[in-house]
Amino acid sequence: MNDSSGAIEPFLAHLCGGEITAKDYVGYFLNEHGEELVFAQRRGEKTARLWHSDADWEMFRIGDHSIRVGEKMDGMITVNDLIIDRAEATWLSSCLAASRHLRPGRT
């Protein structure tokens, strides 16, 4: 077994242009249209960071209650001002749940 620990973080940081280190819980998603999403949660930070290639890799700060359904349009799923589809929302929800223990006041 070779030691490639930390190999994904520099790749994802380069991909989205964000600061991602081995201290982050990270997630990557490729949707059916070839658009890429990157998730990073740093221990001790109240919010996670989300980048989406279709939003020109703009960073969005997100938390446990950031995913909204139908707030702007009936049935539309959003995270802050970013429109996402059901598969992206499912992946993002899983990332938030898996990294919840890293946010302050969470267990």
Side-chain angles (χ1 to χ4, degrees):
M1 181 170 169
N2 68 11
D3 183 15
S4 61
S5 61
I8 191 72
E9 293 85 3
F11 171 76
L12 292 176
H14 178 74
L15 179 69
C16 70
E19 181 187 335
I20 300 174
T21 71
K23 295 180 181 181
D24 293 314
Y25 173 92
V26 295
Y28 171 82
F29 186 81
L30 178 67
N31 71 20
E32 64 187 63
H33 307 290
E35 299 163 346
E36 297 169 294
L37 290 85
V38 175
F39 173 93
Q41 173 69 58
R42 185 156 297 157
R43 180 179 300 280
E45 289 189 0
K46 293 181 181 182
T47 57
R49 293 158 286 148
L50 173 69
W51 296 268
H52 196 305
S53 66
D54 195 42
D56 296 323
W57 293 114
E58 177 184 347
M59 184 189 69
F60 295 87
R61 284 280 181 182
I62 60 169
D64 290 325
H65 304 288
S66 294
I67 301 171
R68 304 279 185 211
V69 178
E71 192 168 274
K72 297 184 190 276
M73 294 176 60
D74 190 37
M76 186 73 61
I77 304 170
T78 59
V79 176
N80 297 346
D81 292 327
L82 179 66
I83 298 170
I84 60 175
D85 66 21
R86 185 171 306 281
E88 292 168 337
T90 299
W91 166 80
L92 183 55
S93 179
S94 296
C95 288
L96 286 165
S99 64
R100 185 169 289 128
H101 68 283
L102 300 173
R103 292 188 283 286
R106 297 298 192 178
T107 56

